[in-house]
Amino acid sequence: FASVIPPVFNADNKVAPSLEAVLNQSYPRDHYEVIVVDNGSTDSTRKHVASFPDVTLLERTDIQNPYAARNKGIDHSKGKVIVLLDINCTPVERWLEMGIRRLNDPEVDLAGGQISFAYSGEETLGEWYDSLLFVDMEDLIKRGQSCAGGNLFFKRKVTEAIGLFPETQRSGMDLYWTKKATKNGFNLVYAPDARVVYPARKLRPLLRKVFRVGTGQPKVWLDNDMHWVKLMLLILYQLVPPGTRELKDKINRRGKKEMHNYLGRLWLIHYIQKMTLSLGWAKGLLRYYIT
């Protein structure tokens, strides 16, 4: 039995497609529950969620971040398997089945599913860049033994051992929590067949996301024994103009051939993103020692 938990905040136009996909999975419907946790929406989000009678709707309004909402859902869930899903992700039909199948391996404790990207009708360069560089679950898991929480499966015993998500920050705590799990001996793997589709961001919202996520990352690293001097050097390094090798590799692995024709423009976005990230890291470093 599994518990699927999407946190929501002012997501009225995203609720229906995501929940319809969640409720129409190949996995037996009587083998999973869906718990949506509203994090203080001021639009019609709760009304849209309430229109799905098979979905449990909870509220968490004292702290406004997705980790607090997820924790509320986990506290009220019954599943031996917990499944975290971002409401703006649309799962494919066998998503739940394939994620749980990966956890059936007794050697596996957590599994990060694949996040693929859908473009708008405009298909902007910002959207292309987002799809190339961000939420690369396979790379996050292989390189850092941590991953994002937007498409994450794990056994309940993980929370029983290491606790729930920290609720002090708006971003980065999914990376922090999954890294904590792997450092405590739990095995995190990639589950490419547990796939969801995510709308690629245009440039401005992408840079806002980069800055916000960047502010949360220093806590993850500093709590995992990174020296602050090393972090300062990383911040400064982001100001160095990048090469094109990473972009070319990402296009070959995740993108479309025609993206190579726009390599110069994508490189410029890449450099702007790096500088934005360095500002987020600097803010996160200051926040870590001041607060």
Side-chain angles (χ1 to χ4, degrees):
F1 193 80
S3 299
V4 181
I5 304 172
V8 294
F9 175 70
N10 288 348
D12 56 357
N13 62 337
K14 301 170 185 174
V15 166
S18 184
L19 291 185
E20 285 169 3
V22 169
L23 294 170
N24 289 282
Q25 291 290 303
S26 59
Y27 197 69
R29 183 63 190 90
D30 60 349
H31 280 48
Y32 68 101
E33 63 180 348
V34 183
I35 302 172
V36 175
V37 186
D38 182 68
N39 200 207
S41 296
T42 56
D43 61 4
S44 55
T45 292
R46 288 190 295 274
K47 180 180 177 181
H48 285 292
V49 176
S51 69
F52 290 86
D54 283 351
V55 172
T56 299
L57 174 60
L58 304 176
E59 289 186 72
R60 177 79 191 268
T61 58
D62 59 316
I63 299 175
Q64 195 171 82
N65 68 50
Y67 310 110
R70 287 167 179 161
N71 287 345
K72 173 99 174 189
I74 294 169
D75 278 339
H76 284 74
S77 65
K78 303 173 184 175
K80 291 185 178 180
V81 170
I82 307 298
V83 185
L84 302 181
L85 176 72
D86 281 353
I87 199 67
N88 50 1
C89 291
T90 304
V92 299
E93 185 180 2
R94 299 186 69 195
W95 160 75
L96 189 56
E97 175 190 349
M98 301 311 292
I100 292 174
R101 179 180 294 183
R102 197 71 183 90
L103 289 188
N104 283 339
D105 184 339
E107 300 298 318
V108 174
D109 304 301
L110 307 94
Q114 181 186 169
I115 297 178
S116 58
F117 288 81
Y119 304 122
S120 70
E122 298 174 69
E123 200 164 326
T124 65
L125 288 171
E127 291 174 286
W128 276 7
Y129 183 80
D130 191 21
S131 70
L132 291 173
L133 271 294
F134 288 94
V135 205
D136 188 344
M137 296 285 269
E138 181 179 15
D139 189 53
L140 286 169
I141 291 169
K142 287 184 176 179
R143 285 196 303 114
Q145 277 297 289
S146 64
C147 71
N151 184 16
L152 179 63
F153 298 73
F154 57 89
K155 296 172 180 174
R156 182 174 292 277
K157 67 178 183 180
V158 180
T159 59
E160 293 172 347
I162 69 169
L164 298 173
F165 289 90
E167 299 177 352
T168 55
Q169 295 195 144
R170 176 73 178 79
S171 296
M173 293 301 97
D174 40 5
L175 295 171
Y176 174 87
W177 187 84
T178 50
K179 184 68 174 181
K180 182 179 179 181
T182 57
K183 287 187 71 173
N184 278 270
F186 292 106
N187 186 23
L188 168 65
V189 301
Y190 180 53
D193 295 324
R195 185 171 69 89
V196 301
V197 180
Y198 184 91
R201 292 181 181 85
K202 295 181 180 180
L203 184 57
R204 285 188 178 182
L206 170 62
L207 293 177
R208 287 196 295 267
K209 172 77 172 182
V210 168
F211 182 78
R212 179 167 58 81
V213 170
T215 62
Q217 288 176 325
K219 176 174 172 56
V220 178
W221 297 330
L222 295 166
D223 282 352
N224 283 281
D225 303 323
M226 177 184 282
H227 197 281
W228 68 269
V229 173
K230 181 178 180 180
L231 179 53
M232 282 294 299
L233 292 174
L234 285 174
I235 291 170
L236 294 174
Y237 180 72
Q238 296 305 306
L239 304 179
V240 177
T244 59
R245 180 176 177 179
E246 182 182 9
L247 273 175
K248 291 177 180 177
D249 289 344
K250 292 284 188 179
I251 292 171
N252 291 333
R253 188 163 65 86
R254 305 185 79 193
K256 302 188 293 185
K257 288 182 180 179
E258 56 263 39
M259 291 179 178
H260 285 290
N261 298 329
Y262 295 85
L263 187 62
R265 298 182 191 179
L266 290 170
W267 175 89
L268 180 59
I269 293 173
H270 188 42
Y271 190 22
I272 294 170
Q273 181 271 146
K274 282 168 62 70
M275 290 188 286
T276 303
L277 183 62
S278 71
L279 292 173
W281 285 352
K283 180 179 178 180
L285 176 61
L286 290 173
R287 176 187 291 174
Y288 185 86
Y289 286 106
I290 292 174
T291 61

